[in-house]
Amino acid sequence: LPRSFGWIGLGAMGYPMAMNLRKRIPTDSILLVNDVDRSAVERFIRQSSGLGRVVEAATARDVAEQSLCVFTMVPEGRHVKDVFLTPGMGILAANTAGKLLIDCSTIDRASSIEVAEAVKALSDVNHPTRFYDAPVSGGTLGAARATLTFMVGIAADDPSFPVLRELLSLIGGAIHPMGGQSLGLAAKLSNNYISSLNALSTAEGMNLAIRLGLDPKVFSNVMETSSGGSYANSVYNPVPGVCPEAPSSKGYEGGFKIQLMKKDVGLAIDAARQVDAKVVLGLTGLGVYSAASEDPRFRDKDARIVYRWLGGIEP
Ligand code: NAD
């Protein structure tokens, strides 16, 4: 494994992922960190003290200049393009020969392919730069527990896969090669299409159950062994108090922001249109997440707050 690592994007996901990385790489290796939000970097440096060297880098270019393996975890395609392609300051302004660049963000495939092509164009044949889309599922709880599922845009028989798997295993659980460039994102967008609608149907079903007089915890337990059960019920239940560790039980803070959920449903619908896949429920889901995202009281909260929005309950 390399001895120098970089991490760009210390948000709800990136922060705990980078912290797990710092805990699991050798103490004499270095971790360069960067985020446009300086307070996140300062907090990270404070909280990782004693785990090994963590150094703030002023730009993405500085991160890439000093590390052999760089992870990125930022919100959208435009942020990923900024981080990689900004002239003079982006990752590709650094000497990246022989380096491994891993983007874990959930973004549109076109942006990811644009970055992959820019990497390829600059890559040295003798010391190729490798770029992979490696989005994750499992949310902030999976990030904190290092149990994330990785969906990687690489073929299972690619000679680079074993190293990639070893690296990703430091911060995740199941590491899946999805077949080739940008297919990690294809899997992630299809997954989130399903999970966003599961979250919505669970929120509506829980609201119905409560209004019919049921105790939410009792009903949720029953669903675990009934056909209405899902991850959205048993791990990220939208009703406060049902899953004590879920964002809903912590004021809907620190989870998956509703505006990111809206982004993912939108990305999945765009992807579906490109391949002529029919989406009926997704359009309704997008409408609900968009409307809730427009309300400043909900915008930055965990997406499962959609339960309160649907029920007309104050956030
Ligand atoms: P977040 O908004 O909490 O964090 C994003 C971080 O990126 C912020 O700290 C922000 O300041 C930083 N950032 C933005 N632009 C930057 C730039 N140009 N340079 C450096 N830093 C920059 O978002 P998150 O919840 O951590 O999500 C990140 C990505 O992971 C998104 O694509 C999201 O869809 C995906 N994701 C999130 C979850 C979840 O449950 N939160 C789960 C799976 C995947």
Side-chain angles (χ1 to χ4, degrees), residues 17-223:
M17 291 166 79
M19 194 60 85
N20 283 328
L21 182 71
R22 181 57 278 183
K23 284 180 187 157
R24 287 161 190 208
I25 55 178
T27 40
D28 63 350
S29 54
I30 180 170
L31 176 63
L32 278 297
V33 288
N34 171 270
D35 192 298
V36 285
D37 175 5
R38 291 279 318 279
S39 67
V41 175
E42 282 161 14
R43 190 159 46 94
F44 189 88
I45 291 177
R46 229 180 16 254
Q47 291 189 342
S48 61
S49 112
L51 298 175
R53 276 183 79 199
V54 178
V55 176
E56 176 174 10
T59 63
R61 177 200 173 137
D62 294 340
V63 173
E65 208 66 79
Q66 299 175 65
S67 31
L68 284 171
C69 172
V70 181
F71 290 88
T72 44
M73 190 50 156
V74 294
E76 298 179 30
R78 63 194 165 96
H79 305 111
V80 173
K81 288 203 279 185
D82 273 356
V83 166
F84 278 86
L85 307 177
T86 301
M89 306 231 286
I91 290 177
L92 297 191
N95 173 7
T96 58
K99 297 186 175 178
L100 191 54
L101 312 173
I102 304 171
D103 180 35
C104 304
S105 323
T106 306
I107 62 170
D108 58 295
R109 289 174 74 200
S111 296
S112 186
I113 290 168
E114 190 179 329
V115 172
E117 281 172 0
V119 170
K120 215 163 154 193
L122 287 173
S123 188
D124 172 338
V125 269
N126 296 317
H127 302 283
T129 307
R130 295 193 168 84
F131 169 78
Y132 299 107
D133 52 303
V136 300
S137 182
T140 46
L141 294 176
R145 295 170 184 161
T147 56
L148 291 169
T149 293
F150 275 90
M151 305 169 206
V152 193
I154 192 170
D157 59 359
D158 189 302
S160 298
F161 183 58
V163 171
L164 204 51
R165 183 172 47 203
E166 197 178 339
L167 268 171
L168 298 178
S169 299
L170 298 172
I171 52 176
I175 319 296
H176 298 285
M178 302 311 302
Q181 191 81 55
S182 91
L183 289 177
L185 282 167
K188 173 63 181 167
L189 295 182
S190 306
N191 173 78
N192 277 31
Y193 183 82
I194 296 170
S195 72
S196 63
L197 296 172
N198 280 351
L200 204 50
S201 65
T202 303
E204 286 189 340
M206 291 296 299
N207 187 38
L208 171 65
I210 292 166
R211 283 170 191 245
L212 290 174
L214 290 159
D215 178 281
K217 211 166 173 142
V218 171
F219 176 62
S220 170
N221 281 342
V222 171
M223 277 209 289

Side-chain angles (χ1 to χ4, degrees), residues 272-293:
R273 287 192 173 130
Q274 285 160 20
V275 293
D276 227 0
K278 197 162 188 156
V279 284
V280 177
L281 300 178
L283 296 174
T284 305
L286 181 62
V288 171
Y289 287 120
S290 298
S293 298

